[in-house]
């Protein structure tokens, strides 16, 4: 009973902390390869800005938020040692840090990338977050996603059509769902799939 009460208290404190923030974090969640980055490219950008590939791609959180006063459209990489590096908001630059093929298991030790855009969907303070997928090839990538849930208010669970929900997806949903203020489930049907 003590553990259940503490878990409930921790969840409540997490929700209260999220309400205090001026930005609302909306995380795109799902198994690796479900199309999370592709969904964000379609919703926010008019081009393929976030790296996408058939194999596992995203290895660090990528936050997409509005451009504030005295800022310009662009991206910045925040590293664990405190460094912040500016870069253009273009796929060829982002993939060097975000894409698991170029930064396997986040060997660059980046904490997250912030993409600043003037896209309509982020103008009201929404921050969309592209996260490493559940069932990641590297445990470090999956742990990054679990840690980021503490900052997330809304989760959009992206589910593939084929196969239906896997055991790892079901386990992740069971853990993540109570930590979110709002959850949305989206089913992604790729052109080559049937179902």
């Amino acid at each position: 009973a003590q553990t259940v009460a503490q878990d409930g208290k921790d969840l409540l404190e997490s929700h209260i902390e999220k309400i205090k923030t001026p930005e609302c974090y909306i995380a795109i969640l799902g198994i690796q390869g479900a199309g999370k980055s592709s969904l964000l490219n379609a919703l926010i950008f008019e081009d393929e800005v976030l790296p996408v590939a058939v194999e596992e791609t995203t290895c660090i959180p990528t936050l997409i938020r509005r451009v504030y006063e005295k800022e310009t459209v662009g991206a910045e990489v925040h590293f664990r040692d405190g460094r912040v590096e500016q870069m253009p908001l273009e796929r060829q630059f982002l993939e060097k840090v975000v894409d698991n093929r170029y930064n396997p298991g986040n060997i660059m030790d980046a904490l997250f990338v912030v993409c600043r855009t003037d896209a309509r969907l982020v103008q009201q303070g929404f921050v969309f977050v592209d996260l490493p997928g559940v069932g990641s090839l590297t445990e470090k990538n999956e742990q990054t996603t679990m840690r980021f849930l503490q900052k997330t208010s809304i989760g959009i669970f992206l589910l593939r059509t084929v196969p239906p929900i896997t055991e790892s997806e079901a386990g992740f949903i069971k853990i993540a769902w109570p930590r979110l203020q709002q959850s949305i489930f989206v089913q992604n049907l790729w052109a080559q799939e049937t179902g």
Side-chain angles (χ1 to χ4, degrees):
Q2 182 76 7
T3 304
V4 173
Q6 184 60 45
D7 288 347
K9 181 181 175 189
D10 292 345
L11 282 173
L12 179 60
E13 287 174 359
S14 173
H15 285 302
I16 290 170
E17 191 62 35
K18 290 173 194 173
I19 292 169
K20 293 179 185 176
T21 62
E23 297 177 316
C24 177
Y25 284 73
I26 302 172
I28 309 301
L29 306 164
I31 197 156
Q32 64 94 13
K36 297 178 297 297
S37 301
S38 295
L39 176 65
L40 286 169
N41 278 332
L43 287 174
I44 297 173
F45 302 109
E46 293 180 15
D47 197 2
E48 195 173 273
V49 173
L50 300 176
V52 295
V54 175
E55 61 275 347
E56 179 176 9
T57 308
T58 307
C59 67
I60 63 169
T62 304
L63 290 71
I64 305 162
R65 67 160 177 83
R66 71 181 188 174
V67 176
Y68 287 101
E69 239 181 85
K70 299 181 182 178
E71 290 183 334
T72 58
V73 170
E76 56 191 34
V77 183
H78 293 254
F79 293 92
R80 196 167 311 280
D81 64 9
R83 286 180 297 129
V84 177
E85 291 182 10
Q86 303 293 322
M87 67 174 59
L89 184 57
E90 297 174 18
R91 179 183 174 153
Q92 65 188 19
F93 296 99
L94 289 172
E95 69 185 0
K96 300 298 184 218
V97 179
V98 171
D99 193 325
N100 201 60
R101 293 173 297 174
Y102 299 98
N103 184 16
N106 190 18
I107 60 171
M108 295 176 74
D109 214 20
L111 287 173
F112 56 90
V113 171
V114 176
C115 298
R116 301 178 309 271
T117 178
D118 54 7
R120 187 182 58 80
L121 270 180
V122 296
Q123 293 309 308
Q124 299 303 313
F126 294 113
V127 178
F128 288 86
V129 185
D130 192 10
L131 291 167
V134 178
S136 170
L137 299 175
T138 63
E139 188 176 332
K140 187 175 178 182
N141 289 355
E142 193 167 317
Q143 290 170 353
T144 297
T145 295
M146 296 307 289
R147 276 193 314 273
F148 207 86
L149 282 178
Q150 300 304 319
K151 299 178 181 181
T152 301
S153 298
I154 300 171
I156 298 177
F157 290 91
L158 189 58
L159 305 172
R160 297 177 300 175
T161 302
V162 178
I165 295 177
T166 64
E167 190 175 324
S168 64
E169 283 176 298
F172 174 66
I173 290 169
K174 186 177 179 180
I175 291 168
W177 199 343
R179 290 169 168 73
L180 301 167
Q181 293 171 341
Q182 193 77 9
S183 298
I184 300 167
F185 291 84
V186 175
Q187 189 172 26
N188 188 6
L189 177 62
W190 293 99
Q192 67 269 23
E193 294 178 336
T194 58

